[in-house]
Amino acid sequence: MQTLSLYNSLTNKKEIFKPLKEGYVGMYVCGPTVYSNVHLGNVRSFMSFDMIYRYLLHLGYKVRYVRNITDAGHLTDDDAEDKISTKARLEKLEPMEIVQKYTVDFHQILQKFNLLSPSIEPTATGHIMEQIKAIETIIENGLGYEVNGSVYFDVIKYNRTENYGILSKRKIEDAIENTRVLDRQSDKKNPQDFALWKKAEPEHIQRWDSPWGVGFPGWHLECTVMSTKYLGEEFDIHGGGMDLKFPHHECEIAQAQACNHVNPVKYWMHGNMLTLNGKKMSKSTGNNILPGELITGENDNLSKAFAPSAVRFFMMQAHYRSVLDFSNTAVLAAEKGYGRLMEAINMIDKLKTSSISTFDVKLWKQKCYNAMNDDFNTPILIAHLFEVVKLINLMNDDKAFLTIADLEDLKTTIFAFVYDVLGLESQANLNDNLDKLGGVVEVLITLRNQARENKDWKLSDQIRDELLAIGIQLKDGKEGTTFLID
RNA sequence: GGCGUCGUGGCCGAGUGGCUAGGCUGGGCUCUGCAAAAGCUCCUACAGCGGUUCGAAUCCGCUCGACGCCUCCA
C-alpha cells in the first residue's frame, strides 16, 4: 500500500496516515443543514471529501464514510427560532416537508457532480434519544448543567482539566476577554458555554420530550452522537469546512471528551472556502451561485452554462486546503483544459503500440501517486495527467511510442485517476443516437475528402464550416480526419 | 480588538533552500490547399523592506494588503 500523508488540523502539520485498525478507515464529514438549496461553496466542500473518500477506496481501504443531514435546525441566537422552523413558517410548510425538499435537492445536486453516496447518512432528528443520553452522561460527569429547561456545557470547568481550544488553537482566556457584552438575560453561567439542549418556546415547531421538558437538541451534539454511534468513540478522519473548525468542531471534541473521556478524532481535515468575487460564498449574505444556475447559466456572474464535470475539474485544479476564487474566466479556462484532457483519453484505444517505449510509464505512474499521497494534491496530479495528454497526441502523430504492456498500464492508471479518484465523468457516454450521428459525420468526411481530392475547395470547406457551425469540429491529421462533437 | 490563513508571470493555480509546475490566453514556427487540431517555441513570476545563508519566491522579522473564524454557515 502507498504511504499516504495528510494535513492534520489538530497538529497543524502533515502526518503519515495510519488508521486505527489496519485496512479500515472511519470517516465522518459534517453534512448540510437542509433548510435551503446548497450553493456551490457547499458543493466544493463535499466534493473535496468525496475525492478523499475515493482515493482511500482506490488505495484499497475499507472505508465507512458517514455524512450527516442536519434536519433539526441550529439556533441563530438565544431568542430566535431555529432556522428550519423559521423557514417552515415562511413557506407554510411542515418542518419535515422543508427537510425533505432540500434533502432531495441536495442529493440530486451531488449526483450531478458525480459524488459517491456515503456509507451512512444519519439524520439529527433520527437520533434524539441518543442525544438525550449523551446529555445525561455529560451532566453525570459534571460538565453539563440545567437551567430553566435548557442544558448547557460548562466550558470553563471543562477547560480546567481538558483543553478547550485544542483544535482551533484559541485560548479561552482570550475568548472571555473579547466576548461582547450580552445584556440579554442569558441562562448560561458563562458566554462561552454552549447549549446541549434548548427549551422550546410555545411557537417553536420542532420539539421533543426530554428529562428537562419539551425542547430540542443543541447544535453540536448530533455530530458527536452520530459519529460515536457509527464509527466508535475513536475514529480516523473527521472532515468539514474550515468555517466549522470553531466553534462546531471544538465543541464536538469537548462533548466527546465529556462523554467518553477520549479524544475522538485522530485526523481532523478542513476544506477551504470557495469565494466569489473574492468573498466567501454564503447563504446568509447572498453572495453565492447555486449549482442549478451554473448548469443553466442563469446567473449574472456567468457568461454561459457549464457542465458539472467541467466545474468538478475546475475545483480539482485547486488544492482542497486553498481558497479557490470562482470566476467565469477561470472556469472557462478549466473547461477548455478539461476538454483537451478528455479528448486525449478518448483517443487511447485507437493508439498503435510499438516494440519500444519512449516514455517511462512506471515513473509517471509513481509521480501521480506521489502527488495524491502528499495530502491529496490534485493540482499536481492533473499536471501529470497533462504530460500524458501530450504523449497521447504525440503517439497519435507517430512521434512517440509505447509497448503494449506500457500502453495498457498507462490506460489503467489514467482511467483510475480520472474516473475513480477525481470522479470526472466520461464524455464518451455514446448512446445509440450519438453512434448514428457519428456515422453521418463519417459519411460527410468521406464526401469532403473526395471533394478535396478533386480540389473542390469550395465544397470541402462548406462541409467543414457548416459542421463547425453546428458544433462538430473536423480535425485533419496524418492518419485521416477525425471529429469532435461539442 | 483576538486567533488564523494567505499575497506567485495577462488570468487561474502548484511548489521546493540552488535545477521546468500545469492549465488558459497572446506572439512566432512546423504540418496543412486554406483553416482548425496537434507538436515545437517565446513572453519566465514569486507584495514591500530588512535579516540568516555560498545561495531564498522557498527560513526569520517587520510593513502593507486580502481573506477566514471569533455569531447560523462547507
PDB file of all heavy atoms in Angstrom, chain A residues 49-69:
ATOM      1  N   PHE A  49     -14.136  16.099   0.026  1.00  0.00           N
ATOM      2  CA  PHE A  49     -14.133  14.873   0.822  1.00  0.00           C
ATOM      3  C   PHE A  49     -14.545  13.663  -0.010  1.00  0.00           C
ATOM      4  O   PHE A  49     -14.137  12.541   0.285  1.00  0.00           O
ATOM      5  CB  PHE A  49     -14.993  15.049   2.075  1.00  0.00           C
ATOM      6  CG  PHE A  49     -14.326  15.968   3.056  1.00  0.00           C
ATOM      7  CD1 PHE A  49     -14.732  17.285   3.186  1.00  0.00           C
ATOM      8  CD2 PHE A  49     -13.231  15.532   3.780  1.00  0.00           C
ATOM      9  CE1 PHE A  49     -14.068  18.151   4.047  1.00  0.00           C
ATOM     10  CE2 PHE A  49     -12.556  16.388   4.644  1.00  0.00           C
ATOM     11  CZ  PHE A  49     -12.984  17.702   4.774  1.00  0.00           C
ATOM     12  N   ASP A  50     -15.296  13.909  -1.054  1.00  0.00           N
ATOM     13  CA  ASP A  50     -15.616  12.833  -1.988  1.00  0.00           C
ATOM     14  C   ASP A  50     -14.334  12.336  -2.650  1.00  0.00           C
ATOM     15  O   ASP A  50     -14.097  11.134  -2.773  1.00  0.00           O
ATOM     16  CB  ASP A  50     -16.594  13.349  -3.053  1.00  0.00           C
ATOM     17  CG  ASP A  50     -16.988  12.271  -4.048  1.00  0.00           C
ATOM     18  OD1 ASP A  50     -17.592  11.267  -3.613  1.00  0.00           O
ATOM     19  OD2 ASP A  50     -16.683  12.423  -5.247  1.00  0.00           O
ATOM     20  N   MET A  51     -13.496  13.280  -3.052  1.00  0.00           N
ATOM     21  CA  MET A  51     -12.217  12.924  -3.663  1.00  0.00           C
ATOM     22  C   MET A  51     -11.351  12.148  -2.670  1.00  0.00           C
ATOM     23  O   MET A  51     -10.713  11.155  -3.020  1.00  0.00           O
ATOM     24  CB  MET A  51     -11.529  14.213  -4.149  1.00  0.00           C
ATOM     25  CG  MET A  51     -10.129  14.080  -4.673  1.00  0.00           C
ATOM     26  SD  MET A  51      -8.866  14.093  -3.390  1.00  0.00           S
ATOM     27  CE  MET A  51      -8.959  15.796  -2.815  1.00  0.00           C
ATOM     28  N   ILE A  52     -11.348  12.604  -1.427  1.00  0.00           N
ATOM     29  CA  ILE A  52     -10.557  11.927  -0.394  1.00  0.00           C
ATOM     30  C   ILE A  52     -11.094  10.507  -0.167  1.00  0.00           C
ATOM     31  O   ILE A  52     -10.325   9.543  -0.109  1.00  0.00           O
ATOM     32  CB  ILE A  52     -10.577  12.761   0.904  1.00  0.00           C
ATOM     33  CG1 ILE A  52      -9.715  14.012   0.712  1.00  0.00           C
ATOM     34  CG2 ILE A  52     -10.108  11.944   2.105  1.00  0.00           C
ATOM     35  CD1 ILE A  52      -9.908  15.082   1.760  1.00  0.00           C
ATOM     36  N   TYR A  53     -12.395  10.409  -0.078  1.00  0.00           N
ATOM     37  CA  TYR A  53     -13.044   9.095   0.061  1.00  0.00           C
ATOM     38  C   TYR A  53     -12.671   8.190  -1.103  1.00  0.00           C
ATOM     39  O   TYR A  53     -12.279   7.031  -0.926  1.00  0.00           O
ATOM     40  CB  TYR A  53     -14.560   9.329   0.113  1.00  0.00           C
ATOM     41  CG  TYR A  53     -15.431   8.087   0.157  1.00  0.00           C
ATOM     42  CD1 TYR A  53     -15.172   7.045   1.038  1.00  0.00           C
ATOM     43  CD2 TYR A  53     -16.557   7.992  -0.673  1.00  0.00           C
ATOM     44  CE1 TYR A  53     -16.000   5.926   1.084  1.00  0.00           C
ATOM     45  CE2 TYR A  53     -17.392   6.892  -0.634  1.00  0.00           C
ATOM     46  CZ  TYR A  53     -17.105   5.853   0.236  1.00  0.00           C
ATOM     47  OH  TYR A  53     -17.929   4.751   0.272  1.00  0.00           O
ATOM     48  N   ARG A  54     -12.760   8.733  -2.299  1.00  0.00           N
ATOM     49  CA  ARG A  54     -12.449   7.951  -3.496  1.00  0.00           C
ATOM     50  C   ARG A  54     -10.996   7.471  -3.498  1.00  0.00           C
ATOM     51  O   ARG A  54     -10.714   6.337  -3.877  1.00  0.00           O
ATOM     52  CB  ARG A  54     -12.694   8.799  -4.744  1.00  0.00           C
ATOM     53  CG  ARG A  54     -14.163   8.975  -5.117  1.00  0.00           C
ATOM     54  CD  ARG A  54     -14.317  10.096  -6.134  1.00  0.00           C
ATOM     55  NE  ARG A  54     -15.671  10.211  -6.665  1.00  0.00           N
ATOM     56  CZ  ARG A  54     -16.129   9.502  -7.686  1.00  0.00           C
ATOM     57  NH1 ARG A  54     -15.344   8.651  -8.308  1.00  0.00           N
ATOM     58  NH2 ARG A  54     -17.369   9.661  -8.113  1.00  0.00           N
ATOM     59  N   TYR A  55     -10.100   8.355  -3.081  1.00  0.00           N
ATOM     60  CA  TYR A  55      -8.685   7.940  -3.106  1.00  0.00           C
ATOM     61  C   TYR A  55      -8.413   6.863  -2.057  1.00  0.00           C
ATOM     62  O   TYR A  55      -7.674   5.905  -2.315  1.00  0.00           O
ATOM     63  CB  TYR A  55      -7.750   9.135  -2.898  1.00  0.00           C
ATOM     64  CG  TYR A  55      -6.302   8.776  -3.132  1.00  0.00           C
ATOM     65  CD1 TYR A  55      -5.885   8.247  -4.365  1.00  0.00           C
ATOM     66  CD2 TYR A  55      -5.338   8.932  -2.131  1.00  0.00           C
ATOM     67  CE1 TYR A  55      -4.566   7.892  -4.588  1.00  0.00           C
ATOM     68  CE2 TYR A  55      -4.011   8.576  -2.354  1.00  0.00           C
ATOM     69  CZ  TYR A  55      -3.632   8.057  -3.584  1.00  0.00           C
ATOM     70  OH  TYR A  55      -2.318   7.695  -3.804  1.00  0.00           O
ATOM     71  N   LEU A  56      -9.022   7.002  -0.900  1.00  0.00           N
ATOM     72  CA  LEU A  56      -8.870   5.964   0.129  1.00  0.00           C
ATOM     73  C   LEU A  56      -9.383   4.626  -0.390  1.00  0.00           C
ATOM     74  O   LEU A  56      -8.756   3.585  -0.195  1.00  0.00           O
ATOM     75  CB  LEU A  56      -9.614   6.372   1.407  1.00  0.00           C
ATOM     76  CG  LEU A  56      -9.017   7.552   2.180  1.00  0.00           C
ATOM     77  CD1 LEU A  56      -9.959   8.006   3.292  1.00  0.00           C
ATOM     78  CD2 LEU A  56      -7.652   7.200   2.765  1.00  0.00           C
ATOM     79  N   LEU A  57     -10.521   4.664  -1.063  1.00  0.00           N
ATOM     80  CA  LEU A  57     -11.064   3.429  -1.650  1.00  0.00           C
ATOM     81  C   LEU A  57     -10.098   2.879  -2.696  1.00  0.00           C
ATOM     82  O   LEU A  57      -9.816   1.678  -2.735  1.00  0.00           O
ATOM     83  CB  LEU A  57     -12.418   3.697  -2.311  1.00  0.00           C
ATOM     84  CG  LEU A  57     -13.614   4.000  -1.395  1.00  0.00           C
ATOM     85  CD1 LEU A  57     -14.843   4.335  -2.231  1.00  0.00           C
ATOM     86  CD2 LEU A  57     -13.906   2.831  -0.464  1.00  0.00           C
ATOM     87  N   HIS A  58      -9.583   3.790  -3.507  1.00  0.00           N
ATOM     88  CA  HIS A  58      -8.655   3.363  -4.561  1.00  0.00           C
ATOM     89  C   HIS A  58      -7.419   2.690  -3.969  1.00  0.00           C
ATOM     90  O   HIS A  58      -6.885   1.734  -4.531  1.00  0.00           O
ATOM     91  CB  HIS A  58      -8.239   4.563  -5.412  1.00  0.00           C
ATOM     92  CG  HIS A  58      -7.186   4.247  -6.425  1.00  0.00           C
ATOM     93  ND1 HIS A  58      -7.469   3.526  -7.571  1.00  0.00           N
ATOM     94  CD2 HIS A  58      -5.852   4.499  -6.448  1.00  0.00           C
ATOM     95  CE1 HIS A  58      -6.339   3.366  -8.260  1.00  0.00           C
ATOM     96  NE2 HIS A  58      -5.354   3.939  -7.610  1.00  0.00           N
ATOM     97  N   LEU A  59      -6.993   3.188  -2.830  1.00  0.00           N
ATOM     98  CA  LEU A  59      -5.813   2.595  -2.192  1.00  0.00           C
ATOM     99  C   LEU A  59      -6.130   1.238  -1.566  1.00  0.00           C
ATOM    100  O   LEU A  59      -5.235   0.550  -1.095  1.00  0.00           O
ATOM    101  CB  LEU A  59      -5.261   3.539  -1.112  1.00  0.00           C
ATOM    102  CG  LEU A  59      -4.608   4.826  -1.614  1.00  0.00           C
ATOM    103  CD1 LEU A  59      -4.075   5.636  -0.435  1.00  0.00           C
ATOM    104  CD2 LEU A  59      -3.478   4.531  -2.594  1.00  0.00           C
ATOM    105  N   GLY A  60      -7.391   0.890  -1.533  1.00  0.00           N
ATOM    106  CA  GLY A  60      -7.756  -0.428  -1.028  1.00  0.00           C
ATOM    107  C   GLY A  60      -8.292  -0.440   0.393  1.00  0.00           C
ATOM    108  O   GLY A  60      -8.541  -1.506   0.953  1.00  0.00           O
ATOM    109  N   TYR A  61      -8.455   0.741   0.970  1.00  0.00           N
ATOM    110  CA  TYR A  61      -9.026   0.771   2.321  1.00  0.00           C
ATOM    111  C   TYR A  61     -10.505   0.426   2.268  1.00  0.00           C
ATOM    112  O   TYR A  61     -11.197   0.735   1.312  1.00  0.00           O
ATOM    113  CB  TYR A  61      -8.881   2.164   2.941  1.00  0.00           C
ATOM    114  CG  TYR A  61      -7.480   2.508   3.358  1.00  0.00           C
ATOM    115  CD1 TYR A  61      -6.733   3.448   2.653  1.00  0.00           C
ATOM    116  CD2 TYR A  61      -6.894   1.887   4.456  1.00  0.00           C
ATOM    117  CE1 TYR A  61      -5.441   3.776   3.029  1.00  0.00           C
ATOM    118  CE2 TYR A  61      -5.598   2.201   4.841  1.00  0.00           C
ATOM    119  CZ  TYR A  61      -4.878   3.143   4.125  1.00  0.00           C
ATOM    120  OH  TYR A  61      -3.599   3.456   4.497  1.00  0.00           O
ATOM    121  N   LYS A  62     -10.948  -0.192   3.336  1.00  0.00           N
ATOM    122  CA  LYS A  62     -12.373  -0.397   3.516  1.00  0.00           C
ATOM    123  C   LYS A  62     -12.848   0.795   4.337  1.00  0.00           C
ATOM    124  O   LYS A  62     -12.463   0.950   5.489  1.00  0.00           O
ATOM    125  CB  LYS A  62     -12.597  -1.717   4.276  1.00  0.00           C
ATOM    126  CG  LYS A  62     -13.952  -2.296   4.065  1.00  0.00           C
ATOM    127  CD  LYS A  62     -13.907  -3.828   4.118  1.00  0.00           C
ATOM    128  CE  LYS A  62     -15.302  -4.428   4.231  1.00  0.00           C
ATOM    129  NZ  LYS A  62     -16.368  -3.695   3.575  1.00  0.00           N
ATOM    130  N   VAL A  63     -13.630   1.640   3.714  1.00  0.00           N
ATOM    131  CA  VAL A  63     -13.971   2.911   4.351  1.00  0.00           C
ATOM    132  C   VAL A  63     -15.438   2.941   4.747  1.00  0.00           C
ATOM    133  O   VAL A  63     -16.312   2.633   3.941  1.00  0.00           O
ATOM    134  CB  VAL A  63     -13.716   4.096   3.387  1.00  0.00           C
ATOM    135  CG1 VAL A  63     -13.933   5.432   4.119  1.00  0.00           C
ATOM    136  CG2 VAL A  63     -12.314   4.038   2.808  1.00  0.00           C
ATOM    137  N   ARG A  64     -15.686   3.290   5.993  1.00  0.00           N
ATOM    138  CA  ARG A  64     -17.061   3.621   6.365  1.00  0.00           C
ATOM    139  C   ARG A  64     -17.133   5.141   6.438  1.00  0.00           C
ATOM    140  O   ARG A  64     -16.495   5.776   7.272  1.00  0.00           O
ATOM    141  CB  ARG A  64     -17.471   3.016   7.705  1.00  0.00           C
ATOM    142  CG  ARG A  64     -18.931   3.433   8.042  1.00  0.00           C
ATOM    143  CD  ARG A  64     -19.434   2.807   9.315  1.00  0.00           C
ATOM    144  NE  ARG A  64     -19.682   1.379   9.144  1.00  0.00           N
ATOM    145  CZ  ARG A  64     -19.945   0.572  10.171  1.00  0.00           C
ATOM    146  NH1 ARG A  64     -19.967   1.042  11.404  1.00  0.00           N
ATOM    147  NH2 ARG A  64     -20.165  -0.699   9.950  1.00  0.00           N
ATOM    148  N   TYR A  65     -17.912   5.678   5.504  1.00  0.00           N
ATOM    149  CA  TYR A  65     -17.989   7.123   5.343  1.00  0.00           C
ATOM    150  C   TYR A  65     -19.358   7.584   5.820  1.00  0.00           C
ATOM    151  O   TYR A  65     -20.382   7.231   5.246  1.00  0.00           O
ATOM    152  CB  TYR A  65     -17.768   7.444   3.857  1.00  0.00           C
ATOM    153  CG  TYR A  65     -17.946   8.881   3.429  1.00  0.00           C
ATOM    154  CD1 TYR A  65     -17.793   9.946   4.312  1.00  0.00           C
ATOM    155  CD2 TYR A  65     -18.234   9.178   2.097  1.00  0.00           C
ATOM    156  CE1 TYR A  65     -17.945  11.252   3.885  1.00  0.00           C
ATOM    157  CE2 TYR A  65     -18.386  10.480   1.654  1.00  0.00           C
ATOM    158  CZ  TYR A  65     -18.243  11.517   2.565  1.00  0.00           C
ATOM    159  OH  TYR A  65     -18.394  12.808   2.124  1.00  0.00           O
ATOM    160  N   VAL A  66     -19.366   8.351   6.896  1.00  0.00           N
ATOM    161  CA  VAL A  66     -20.622   8.834   7.485  1.00  0.00           C
ATOM    162  C   VAL A  66     -20.739  10.339   7.251  1.00  0.00           C
ATOM    163  O   VAL A  66     -19.814  11.096   7.566  1.00  0.00           O
ATOM    164  CB  VAL A  66     -20.663   8.549   9.004  1.00  0.00           C
ATOM    165  CG1 VAL A  66     -21.985   9.032   9.598  1.00  0.00           C
ATOM    166  CG2 VAL A  66     -20.478   7.065   9.276  1.00  0.00           C
ATOM    167  N   ARG A  67     -21.831  10.732   6.676  1.00  0.00           N
ATOM    168  CA  ARG A  67     -22.077  12.165   6.466  1.00  0.00           C
ATOM    169  C   ARG A  67     -23.517  12.458   6.883  1.00  0.00           C
ATOM    170  O   ARG A  67     -24.456  11.883   6.337  1.00  0.00           O
ATOM    171  CB  ARG A  67     -21.857  12.545   5.001  1.00  0.00           C
ATOM    172  CG  ARG A  67     -21.905  14.064   4.762  1.00  0.00           C
ATOM    173  CD  ARG A  67     -21.776  14.397   3.283  1.00  0.00           C
ATOM    174  NE  ARG A  67     -22.888  13.844   2.538  1.00  0.00           N
ATOM    175  CZ  ARG A  67     -22.834  13.504   1.247  1.00  0.00           C
ATOM    176  NH1 ARG A  67     -21.724  13.652   0.569  1.00  0.00           N
ATOM    177  NH2 ARG A  67     -23.891  12.992   0.645  1.00  0.00           N
ATOM    178  N   ASN A  68     -23.664  13.324   7.839  1.00  0.00           N
ATOM    179  CA  ASN A  68     -24.990  13.545   8.426  1.00  0.00           C
ATOM    180  C   ASN A  68     -25.841  14.534   7.630  1.00  0.00           C
ATOM    181  O   ASN A  68     -25.347  15.302   6.815  1.00  0.00           O
ATOM    182  CB  ASN A  68     -24.847  14.060   9.851  1.00  0.00           C
ATOM    183  CG  ASN A  68     -24.219  15.433   9.866  1.00  0.00           C
ATOM    184  OD1 ASN A  68     -23.077  15.607   9.448  1.00  0.00           O
ATOM    185  ND2 ASN A  68     -24.971  16.419  10.318  1.00  0.00           N
ATOM    186  N   ILE A  69     -27.107  14.492   7.906  1.00  0.00           N
ATOM    187  CA  ILE A  69     -28.042  15.504   7.433  1.00  0.00           C
ATOM    188  C   ILE A  69     -28.556  16.223   8.674  1.00  0.00           C
ATOM    189  O   ILE A  69     -29.117  15.593   9.563  1.00  0.00           O
ATOM    190  CB  ILE A  69     -29.243  14.859   6.710  1.00  0.00           C
ATOM    191  CG1 ILE A  69     -28.808  14.122   5.446  1.00  0.00           C
ATOM    192  CG2 ILE A  69     -30.322  15.897   6.426  1.00  0.00           C
ATOM    193  CD1 ILE A  69     -28.668  14.984   4.229  1.00  0.00           C
TER     194      ILE A  69
END
